[in-house]
Amino acid sequence: MDGRTLPGIITQTPGGVGRNIADALGKLYRTPPLFLSAVGSDQFGTFLLESVKHVDSSGVAVRHDNRTACYSALIDKFGDAKLGVGDMQIHSSISEEQVEKHKSVLVNSPMIIMDGNIPQTIWFEPTDVLKSTKPFQSNFWKSMTCISPNINELVAMANAIGVTLKDDIDYSDTNILLKQLSYLAAPLAEHIPLIMVTMGKRGLMMVSRSKADEVVIDNVRKSKSEIFMRHYPSKRLTNIVNSVGAGDSTAAGFISGMLQGFTETQCVNLGLRAAVEVLYTNMAVPKKFETSFTLKTTTDFINIPVS
């Protein structure tokens, strides 16, 4: 970190949490999603719009007075992002008027997915730790149906509503880690029917109001009080190329299952299979998903006691 130039491999890929999920859903689900965002009238904006031709991008505004958002990530030899630098100023140009133009489509949609890049006035797949607490600066968070934070984002969300751990997150012991995450997630789950915590190589933790064999989308719409927590371990993988975007495809796979009326174990299976395909490509979303995402295949889980 002394200013020297280090040898490495540089690649460019279309990205952005909202774009990634729209891209993946356009390839996984039968109905193309409406994508709402903003890009600049530059080569990167053209590049991004070319990458989502299979979705409805009529909601993307092209700004002539701003730069397309860019994010540079440093990926280590294990495929993990160590740090990133983002130029995201254009996202503040997404206006309430731009959203209003598509009100009828949004109102009649079975699901609206929002990431943490959009202005708070519009305000949720959180995009990073700093943005994950946006909804919690008001009572808006109690109106959300589903959230999909990673571990650090869950910690930030819980802290935002006054829930903190006595000790640091313990990554050395999965059982202790699950206890810590369940402690943080429980107060959020009192108002948010479905929470999917992505745990990297440890898989997923689901916190929901439905049993594993119940249709997910039916239960998130009901005001059930009982909370269930389940851990879905992931398989050990080797020779991973890139983990950036894996969480977005996990969410997209899970959402595609929800919209098809699948159970939680089936939705998780779709999400994990989508993530695996990302891990073996240098793109945030593969050009094509090779496996079928209409099969009702289940994934094993471990019940977590709710304290």
Side-chain angles (χ1 to χ4, degrees):
M1 304 294 285
D2 57 2
R4 74 182 67 186
T5 298
L6 302 172
I9 298 172
I10 299 174
T11 59
Q12 179 177 293
T13 178
V17 170
R19 193 222 67 91
N20 291 347
I21 294 178
D23 181 2
L25 275 177
K27 296 168 180 173
L28 298 175
Y29 190 59
R30 62 181 179 271
T31 303
L34 169 67
F35 178 40
L36 194 154
S37 188
V39 298
S41 57
D42 49 32
Q43 61 177 334
F44 296 125
T46 301
F47 178 57
L48 287 178
L49 289 174
E50 284 287 328
S51 74
V52 289
K53 281 190 170 182
H54 55 295
V55 310
D56 180 356
S57 58
S58 62
V60 180
V62 179
R63 308 294 188 195
H64 300 285
D65 57 350
N66 215 323
R67 300 179 302 277
T68 299
C70 289
Y71 170 81
S72 294
L74 181 64
I75 312 296
D76 67 12
K77 63 182 180 180
F78 302 108
D80 293 326
K82 307 310 292 185
L83 62 86
V85 178
D87 178 358
M88 310 288 188
Q89 184 179 1
I90 195 171
H91 292 142
S92 63
S93 73
I94 300 174
S95 64
E96 294 174 42
E97 291 76 19
Q98 182 181 344
V99 177
E100 186 73 22
K101 291 179 182 178
H102 304 277
K103 181 178 179 179
S104 61
V105 177
L106 295 171
V107 168
N108 293 294
S109 296
M111 181 178 294
I112 298 174
I113 305 163
M114 295 175 284
D115 76 15
N117 285 315
I118 59 178
Q120 191 173 331
T121 54
I122 298 175
W123 255 121
F124 170 88
E125 201 329 304
T127 59
D128 65 22
V129 173
L130 296 179
K131 298 170 185 174
S132 63
T133 60
K134 274 187 181 180
F136 301 90
Q137 296 172 20
S138 70
N139 279 332
F140 170 82
W141 72 273
K142 296 181 180 179
S143 301
M144 293 190 292
T145 302
C146 314
I147 58 175
S148 56
N150 61 27
I151 293 174
N152 292 331
E153 290 162 351
L154 177 66
V155 172
M157 289 176 173
N159 289 349
I161 62 170
V163 180
T164 58
L165 293 171
K166 294 181 180 179
D167 303 309
D168 293 335
I169 288 289
D170 189 338
Y171 290 95
S172 64
D173 188 307
T174 300
N175 289 327
I176 295 176
L177 175 62
L178 289 170
K179 288 181 181 179
Q180 291 177 316
L181 298 182
S182 62
Y183 173 79
L184 295 171
L188 297 170
E190 292 180 10
H191 301 279
I192 303 174
L194 190 149
I195 301 173
M196 178 174 71
V197 185
T198 55
M199 302 169 60
K201 63 183 180 182
R202 293 176 177 81
L204 300 175
M205 184 180 83
M206 296 299 306
V207 183
S208 72
R209 308 279 179 82
S210 61
K211 296 178 181 179
D213 59 354
E214 293 180 325
V215 174
V216 175
I217 200 163
D218 288 345
N219 282 282
V220 296
R221 292 170 174 164
K222 298 176 182 177
S223 56
K224 297 170 67 175
S225 58
E226 189 173 7
I227 297 173
F228 301 93
M229 297 189 184
R230 289 174 281 268
H231 175 221
Y232 291 84
S234 61
K235 296 179 181 179
R236 177 178 288 275
L237 302 175
T238 58
N239 302 320
I240 291 173
V241 176
N242 161 54
S243 63
V244 177
D248 301 338
S249 285
T250 302
F254 190 96
I255 292 166
S256 71
M258 286 182 66
L259 296 176
Q260 293 178 77
F262 287 5
T263 66
E264 181 182 284
T265 56
Q266 294 164 347
C267 291
V268 168
N269 180 269
L270 296 186
L272 292 177
R273 283 160 54 197
V276 168
E277 294 206 32
V278 174
L279 294 172
Y280 288 109
T281 177
N282 61 4
M283 301 184 68
V285 176
K287 291 182 179 180
K288 178 183 178 182
F289 287 97
E290 299 298 332
T291 54
S292 172
F293 286 85
T294 58
L295 298 176
K296 296 185 177 182
T297 307
T298 61
T299 293
D300 294 333
F301 63 87
I302 301 169
N303 284 307
I304 303 172
V306 180
S307 56

